[in-house]
Amino acid sequence: MGATEFLKTRLDAMELSPRSPDSRDTDAAHKAQPVICYASIAAWAYAGARLRHCLDDAGRVRAFNRAMAALIALSAVYLAFEG
């Protein structure tokens, strides 16, 4: 299965609620979903390609990994103690 087929399968599976024929907002959201998904994937791919050139040293990779781990830990703490 190619990447495009995989993404189409995942996008089809993401439809969680049935469409209502008289709900235009829901239809617009369903139509925008693939656009947002593909834009997000493209942004992550671009960021990964750019970071590859910056993270060519083992020390930089280690620092990047530690920074990402700290951000995940802070997010978890925030979610745990959120109101």
Side-chain angles (χ1 to χ4, degrees):
M1 175 183 287
T4 304
E5 294 168 350
F6 174 76
L7 288 174
K8 285 182 181 178
T9 305
R10 295 306 304 154
L11 288 173
D12 290 341
M14 288 169 51
E15 256 185 44
L16 301 176
S17 60
R19 293 185 188 175
S20 171
D22 49 67
S23 175
R24 292 186 182 164
D25 292 338
T26 304
D27 287 341
H30 283 284
K31 289 177 183 177
Q33 188 176 14
V35 173
I36 294 169
C37 182
Y38 282 120
S40 298
I41 291 169
W44 279 108
Y46 178 76
R50 299 294 294 178
L51 279 174
R52 180 182 300 172
H53 299 293
C54 297
L55 299 176
D56 56 356
D57 180 41
R60 288 182 182 175
V61 172
R62 190 174 303 114
F64 177 79
N65 286 339
R66 287 181 179 162
M68 293 299 108
L71 287 173
I72 290 172
L74 287 172
S75 297
V77 169
Y78 171 76
L79 291 173
F81 294 107
E82 181 182 2

